[in-house]
Amino acid sequence: MSCVHIMTAGDPPPRTPQGCEECLAIGGRWVHLRLCLTCGHVGCCDSSPGRHATAHFVATRHPVIRSFQPGEDWRWCFIDQVLG
């Protein structure tokens, strides 16, 4: 199943290709990385201590992220709670 947010999501370049923006700034660590498909923010997943990808959604309402892990290409819509 998909949603309009996933179907119309962009493909911006990552703002910090080397890791989670917030974790890099504070010396934190992450488990997996997620890329915001609205602005290119790179944040850590909910299994990471900072949960920065979700925090970015809460702050911005940018609806769709994709996995930023090598070999993964799934997308997630926070608004519709749909994996695409």
Side-chain angles (χ1 to χ4, degrees):
M1 181 175 177
S2 197
C3 70
V4 68
H5 303 108
I6 289 175
M7 292 186 300
T8 61
D11 189 23
R15 296 189 325 205
T16 53
Q18 67 274 23
C20 173
E21 290 184 34
E22 291 83 0
C23 288
L24 289 168
I26 63 172
R29 62 177 186 82
W30 57 85
V31 177
H32 299 289
L33 296 172
R34 309 295 181 233
L35 176 69
C36 173
L37 296 183
T38 300
C39 70
H41 172 269
V42 177
C44 54
C45 70
D46 286 353
S47 295
S48 302
R51 300 176 49 143
H52 292 121
T54 296
H56 177 74
F57 165 72
V58 170
T60 65
R61 302 303 290 175
H62 293 167
V64 181
I65 57 171
R66 74 165 173 83
S67 176
F68 199 52
Q69 295 299 120
E72 294 183 357
D73 63 356
W74 57 262
R75 296 169 180 223
W76 172 255
C77 177
F78 284 105
I79 293 172
D80 294 324
Q81 302 284 292
V82 173
L83 191 64

